[in-house]
Each structure stands twice: as structure tokens, then as C-alpha cells.
Amino acid sequence: MRTFHSFLCIILLSSLLCGCSEKAPKLYLIEENGLYGFIDSLGNKVIDPKYLFATPFSDDVALVVTDTIGGFNITVNYHYINCREKVIGKNNYMARLGGLSFKYGDKISLLSRFSYSGGRALFQSRDTSTKGLILEKYGYIDKKGCVVIPCEYNDGGLFHDGKAMVQESIDHSLERITNTGESLDILQKNYLKWQVIDDGGNAMTDFIFDKKSAFDKGRCVAEISTSSDIKGFQSIIYVLLNENADIICTFSTGGARKYSDGVIIEEVGPLAMLGSSSEFYDRDGNKIRSFSDLYPSEQKIISQSPAFLTSLPEIIISFAKGFSEGLCVCTTGDKDSRNWFFVDVYKNLYGNATNDLFAFEDALLFSSGLAAIKKDGKWGYVDHNFDLIIPCQYDSASSFNGDLAMVENNMPDLTIRSYINKTGKPVWQQVQYHNPAYEPNQK
């Protein structure tokens, strides 16, 4: 009897542990009749559309807006929910977003900065500066709603790898207004610097960086301005930070740099027209060898990929959207080019020559095993073999986020926005009528 009782206890304990470790289901943001909610990957409504707005789930938490106050400066009341719609933290956060028309795209970009990431979320408070100015200041809360980093910064970024960049407060630099005669807006744009902090709010660097950047897999590429020349122009140098926020590499000027999927990309841009080309570097700042410099055995392994087309060591890349799942989307033209293609870190060209799928009018990075590509004015999706998995039939498309991607078709009188799965089947659709006469409730 005791043995059976012990066995039953073990089963119950195992069930509890499994229940606690169960991964939260992936939910997707939807909008119906001007209100926002969430569906699962099968299109089932999990959280009914009832919020004035919401952000996609991040760190298993979504931000939902319950009220807005209009006028020139829009203020929103919001809180956070988990996938079971339980409130996370407090129920009364507020953010002043400034004067703008509160459109869909504006909401996404402005409210996503308050999303949770790495167990922290940015929040805003209003304060009076030493000069009597009323300013928005920023700090961070944890998932219990407790303030873990006080509101003492002019701005802040999302946490990644336990680190975030924050911008120095106006109070630290107000004397620059007096010294330069610049306005407050100019001060915020041109003078305030950024530093790296850890998730406890401890400074890991001084305020030395000119733009906000983010850590990814223990690395971060940041910008630092050098001193002005005789004409007042400042040059930018790019530095590579390691997991301790130490500078481990400095790049020469000549192009912007960004870091994605473990690869540092030098984006030359218009300089490519003068014969320069973008270069790729590894996570330690070392220039990646060209395909011709690899051992024959390495070349053989790479060239056996079904999607490998050819090695183009002399290819002149001007703009690159970034790396994801081992491939980069880039072009030899400008950012409005209609000729985008995929390369690996050795600048080998990938595609599917038999189906004419190697150069595209536009393309997005690979995500969840598929990449959105544009041919003949329409969007579809290819896999890593560059087989066309979902035909090019959409007017716009987004990258897959797990099992679903958002696509859109525009017609003269209506727009159909859909979530599709990896077979191209719609699991949820929203129809927006441009002409009220065509709405179902109209004759």
C-alpha cells in the first residue's frame, strides 16, 4: 500500500512539474471592428477583440490599451496580460506618446517599446527638470510590476542578453542648451548619449554611444562620434561590444554596420557605385574569408546544398537587410532596387535557377524556415531549397512568426487581411471595405 501511495505521489508531482513547465501557446494579434484580440495558430479566438489596441506577445506577455486621451498629445492607459488574459503587474500604466494621428503603424512602433523583453519592460513617468521643464522619464519594471530601475533616463531600449541601452537624462545635459543656444528638440536629437546597463540598472559603460543599439547572442555593434573637424562635421566609428560591454573591435569608417544572426554586416550603400563592397565579419570582428579561400573539402560541402547556385567572390553588395537562418538578403543597387537576392557569409548565390527563383523584386529574411519573396508584383514564400511553397499571389506579406504569417490583398473596394499557415491556407481573415455600399449590412 505504501508503495502504491509513493507511486501515486510521484505521478502527481510529475504532473505538477509538467504543468508548470508547459510552454505558453503562441498567439497572434487580430483586429475586428476596431478592437484587438488574439487567435491561436489554428485561427481560434483565445482572447476576444475587446481592447482599443494591443501589441504582439513578447516574452509571453502582451500590452493592451484600455483607454486613450486625445488632443495634441495622446496619452494611453494600458496594462499587460499573459496568454490566459491574466493581468501581469499593475492595471494602471500610462504613457504620453506625443502629437500624432494614432494610426495602426504608429501604435505598433510607439507602444512596442513598452513591451516586455528579458523580464523587463520600459515605463514612463513625468518629472520636472532643474530648469522647470516637464519631461517624460523612463525606467523599468519586472513582471510583478515592481520598479527595478527608477525613471531617470530620457529614453531606453529593450533588454536582450540581460542588457539594454538607456539615454542620459536632460538634466545631465541642460547646460548644453545655454552653451549652444540649441532648442530642447535639437538637444535630445544631437547631444544626448547612450550607455549600457544590466538588468539591475548598473552602468556597464559611460554615456558614450550616439545611437541606441541592442545585444544579440553576446555581441552588440554601436556608434560613437569622433570629435568635430574644422567645419563642424563629426565622423562616426563603429565598435563591437562583447557580453561584458567591453569594446573588442573598432571598425574603420566607410559604411554603416549592423549585427544579425552572428554576422556583422558592413553596409556600404552608394559607395558601392564607386567600387566598394559590403563585407561580412564574424562575431569577434574578423573578416570572413571568401569562398575561394576555403579548403576544397569546405567548398564541396557548401556547394552540395540543393539551393547553391554559384560562387560570386567579386559581387558588389551595396545594401543588406541582414542575416537569418544562414542567409542574407541583399542587393547591388539602392534600397529601392527591384533586384534582391540571397547569399551566405561567403557571398555565394543561392536560389533555384530552373524556376527562375534567384533574383527577386523584393524579399524578406528567412523566418520559421520560409522567406517571403516578390515576383511580378506579388508576394509568395520559398523554403531553403528555394522551392515556391506558397505561390506569389499577395499584394503584401510579412515574415512567418512560428506557424502563421500576415498577408494582404488590395482591391478597389476592399482589403482582405489574412493569417495564413505554411500551406497557404487562411486561418483568419478580416475584410475592410473602402466603399460602405459594399458592406454586408448594406443593400
Side-chain angles (χ1 to χ4, degrees), residues 60-274:
D60 297 328
V61 177
L63 181 156
V64 293
V65 175
T66 55
D67 188 28
T68 62
I69 303 172
F72 178 75
N73 292 305
I74 294 175
T75 300
V76 299
N77 296 319
Y78 67 93
H79 61 260
Y80 299 94
I81 58 172
N82 64 14
C83 62
R84 296 177 181 84
E85 210 174 354
K86 178 182 177 182
V87 175
I88 301 297
K90 299 179 181 180
N91 200 19
N92 57 348
Y93 299 107
M94 295 180 63
R96 181 174 174 269
L97 302 181
L100 51 95
S101 57
F102 205 46
K103 296 179 181 178
Y104 183 87
D106 296 329
K107 295 174 186 177
I108 286 284
S109 60
L110 289 169
L111 288 174
S112 291
R113 64 201 301 259
F114 298 106
S115 297
Y116 269 94
S117 178
R120 300 284 184 265
L122 195 69
F123 79 106
Q124 184 189 89
S125 69
R126 303 196 75 186
D127 195 10
T128 303
S129 72
T130 55
K131 297 289 186 179
L133 298 170
I134 298 177
L135 304 171
E136 282 74 43
K137 291 190 175 182
Y138 297 85
Y140 292 87
I141 54 176
D142 62 17
K143 285 192 175 180
K144 294 181 179 180
C146 299
V147 177
V148 289
I149 301 174
C151 285
E152 54 186 35
Y153 302 106
N154 186 63
D155 202 353
L158 298 178
F159 268 90
H160 296 281
D161 293 350
K163 292 172 280 293
M165 277 196 176
V166 291
Q167 192 178 45
E168 64 180 321
S169 69
I170 297 290
D171 281 334
H172 291 166
S173 304
L174 275 172
E175 64 275 6
R176 297 176 190 171
I177 296 179
T178 303
N179 295 339
T180 65
E182 301 281 12
S183 68
L184 178 62
D185 289 341
I186 297 296
L187 171 70
Q188 289 176 289
K189 182 178 180 181
N190 293 339
Y191 292 104
L192 296 183
K193 302 291 186 179
W194 297 79
Q195 75 172 178
V196 178
I197 60 172
D198 64 21
D199 55 9
N202 303 302
M204 302 183 70
T205 67
D206 294 328
F207 288 103
I208 58 175
F209 305 108
D210 285 272
K211 287 187 178 180
K212 176 177 60 179
S213 189
F215 277 81
D216 176 41
K217 299 176 183 176
R219 293 292 184 269
C220 175
V221 174
E223 295 183 19
I224 299 178
S225 291
T226 60
S227 57
S228 302
D229 61 19
I230 192 170
K231 294 183 179 180
F233 294 108
Q234 290 185 322
S235 59
I236 298 291
I237 61 171
Y238 294 86
V239 295
L240 178 64
L241 309 180
N242 65 10
E243 58 274 4
N244 299 317
D246 298 320
I247 296 176
I248 59 173
C249 180
T250 299
F251 297 97
S252 61
T253 57
R257 282 164 177 86
K258 52 191 174 184
Y259 178 77
S260 64
D261 203 27
V263 181
I264 303 161
I265 301 168
E266 177 190 44
E267 192 175 70
V268 175
L271 293 179
M273 309 306 172
L274 303 178

Side-chain angles (χ1 to χ4, degrees), residues 277-298:
S277 178
S278 298
E279 299 294 346
F280 301 147
Y281 303 83
D282 64 22
R283 65 192 308 271
D284 294 320
N286 302 308
K287 185 177 176 181
I288 295 175
R289 293 179 296 167
S290 66
F291 184 75
S292 60
D293 293 330
L294 298 178
Y295 295 113
S297 57
E298 296 175 306

Side-chain angles (χ1 to χ4, degrees), residues 409-430:
N409 276 320
N410 300 307
M411 285 155 273
D413 298 308
L414 57 87
T415 295
I416 301 177
R417 186 178 293 121
S418 310
Y419 274 115
I420 59 170
N421 61 23
K422 290 185 177 180
T423 66
K425 179 182 178 181
V427 301
W428 174 88
Q429 286 190 326
Q430 177 211 41

